[in-house]
Amino acid sequence: MNKTIKAGEVFKLGDLVSYAGGKVTKVNVVDDDRVKLILMAFDGGSELPEHTAPGEAIVFALEGEAVISYEGQDHTIKAGENFHFAKADRHSVKATKQFKMALLLTLE
């Protein structure tokens, strides 16, 4: 567990990751052999290029808006919405404006 998260305290995931000019920033909240929880902040126009996931994944949009390209089809995602990636399927994420997300990744 990320040491910045204190037991017994209320917090917002989006507050744990900050925007950086023109970049994607990441914070690992949980990182072990079976599961990862990664927070990402995309400055407007920044993106993760097309890649595949090493396991099943769910994106939780925390703020802003982005376009997820999944297996060749574009999907707009906004704060409060979620998206599922199957293992090994091709996808990318591009922020249309500033965008924060949490990524839950399960590994075998």
Side-chain angles (χ1 to χ4, degrees), residues 17-87:
V17 63
S18 300
Y19 296 109
K23 298 180 182 180
V24 178
T25 57
K26 299 178 186 180
V27 171
N28 289 329
V29 177
V30 177
D31 189 0
D32 68 32
D33 294 338
R34 296 184 346 221
V35 66
K36 296 183 184 305
L37 178 61
I38 305 163
L39 305 177
M40 296 182 199
F42 294 72
D43 200 20
S46 63
E47 66 182 303
L48 289 178
E50 189 174 66
H51 60 283
T52 59
E56 296 283 321
I58 297 177
V59 167
F60 301 86
L62 302 174
E63 64 183 56
E65 181 178 299
V67 174
I68 294 174
S69 179
Y70 183 75
E71 291 291 299
Q73 187 174 9
D74 288 346
H75 305 271
T76 300
I77 186 169
K78 298 176 184 173
E81 298 178 331
N82 309 294
F83 194 88
H84 173 247
F85 298 123
K87 181 179 179 178

